[in-house]
Amino acid sequence: MSVVVDTEGRQTVLVVEDEESYQDALAVGLSAEGFVVTGATTLADARALLVRTTPDIILLDLMLPDGSGVDFCREVYHSSRIPVIMVTARTSEVDVVLGLEIGAADYVTKPYRLRELVARMRAILRRPASTSEEEFIAFGDLRVDFVRRSVTRHGVEIDLSRKEFDLLALFATHLGQVVTREVCLDTLWWGMQLSDTRTLDTHVKRLRQKIEVDPTQPRHLVTIRGVGFRLDG
Ligand code: CA
């Protein structure tokens, strides 16, 4: 157990994992990705660390020598809201984790690729702290409510799919700023190749049809050619 103090504004991750091979690989891999990595091999270690430090994100194995990651995840959710990525050894455990509604931000199944894990971590760390800070953003005739996950125009609800809402929420939290295609793909379609952007374009098109008065002359959701998109108020 070691405590690393972050002095360079880098993001910190607590890896709670009893398999040495994973601990070692993650310590090296996540450090190389710019994270400050702290490791714990038991829940007792992890609890002790959380008394003294507040990591930006926690990577939590489901089965640990002194208990279940499920209980710990619930604890963290209720006490600190630090985002937790659950790590499961079998796909069948995923349903258990999701079914319990333990407040995990995401999950990965072993064996996972570092690249996929990092993409998911970054996506979570980019998410707005919506429930505590900004509950909604209003611009033009539109209002995006992050708590209710709804979008209204003049108070009338617009029917969006989950991905369409996530995409709009991403743009809305960067109102007036360019969001690159890469960030869109990274945030919503983890690790998808930049060359395969048809899915993104399809979602943007559908979003325009729903939120723009004239989708052919978008006033809010503007394309920045070769770069990405910008949502204007
Ligand atoms: Ca384990």
Side-chain angles (χ1 to χ4, degrees):
M1 185 167 86
S2 62
V3 179
V4 181
V5 179
D6 176 24
T7 52
E8 296 162 52
R10 291 195 290 162
Q11 284 176 311
T12 53
V13 52
L14 168 61
V15 178
V16 189
E17 169 65 71
D18 59 320
E19 274 181 68
E20 222 169 285
S21 58
Y22 273 91
Q23 270 288 6
D24 294 348
L26 288 171
V28 174
L30 293 176
S31 299
E33 290 288 336
F35 290 94
V36 175
V37 187
T38 307
T41 54
T42 62
L43 290 179
D45 276 3
R47 285 192 183 101
L49 275 166
L50 285 187
V51 173
R52 287 174 288 143
T53 60
T54 307
D56 292 303
I57 192 163
I58 298 173
L59 199 59
L60 175 62
D61 189 32
L62 186 64
M63 304 292 273
L64 290 148
D66 56 345
S68 161
V70 166
D71 301 325
F72 186 68
C73 184
R74 217 180 256 129
E75 252 173 69
V76 170
Y77 182 75
H78 289 295
S79 62
S80 66
R81 299 279 166 118
I82 298 168
V84 173
I85 298 183
M86 291 293 302
V87 180
T88 65
R90 287 186 301 275
T91 313
S92 60
E93 290 172 349
V94 170
D95 295 336
V96 176
V97 170
L98 293 180
L100 289 171
E101 291 177 5
I102 54 175
D106 204 348
Y107 63 87
V108 289
T109 304
K110 287 178 181 173
Y112 49 82
R113 290 181 308 156
L114 182 72
R115 188 168 163 246
E116 185 197 2
L117 177 67
V118 169
R120 291 192 182 204
M121 287 170 66
R122 295 222 163 104
I124 290 165
L125 290 168
R126 261 199 302 270
R127 275 181 202 167
S130 56
T131 46
S132 58
E133 286 162 25
E134 294 168 293
E135 294 189 345
F136 69 89
I137 288 176
F139 57 96
D141 314 333
L142 298 160
R143 178 184 158 111
V144 180
D145 187 322
F146 297 110
V147 180
R148 293 180 54 234
R149 289 182 62 84
S150 71
V151 180
T152 52
R153 177 191 283 127
H154 296 308
V156 179
E157 184 139 0
I158 299 171
D159 186 31
L160 297 183
S161 74
R162 198 168 69 90
K163 280 279 191 217
E164 285 162 6
F165 180 85
D166 287 344
L167 191 59
L168 182 60
L170 174 66
F171 294 141
T173 51
H174 297 84
L175 198 64
Q177 301 165 27
V178 178
V179 180
T180 64
R181 303 179 74 89
E182 193 174 10
V183 166
C184 293
L185 291 172
D186 247 21
T187 309
L188 274 86
W189 293 276
W190 308 297
M192 191 185 275
Q193 291 303 307
L194 263 181
S195 53
D196 183 18
T197 60
R198 258 180 317 170
T199 310
L200 173 59
D201 290 322
T202 306
H203 278 77
V204 167
K205 195 177 162 194
R206 273 199 236 127
L207 208 45
R208 279 194 182 124
Q209 283 163 356
K210 293 180 179 180
I211 68 165
E212 296 285 353
V213 175
D214 179 2
T216 61
Q217 302 282 324
R219 216 170 61 83
H220 295 301
L221 185 42
V222 185
T223 299
I224 309 299
R225 204 168 291 280
V227 183
F229 306 94
R230 192 186 64 226
L231 190 66
D232 290 332

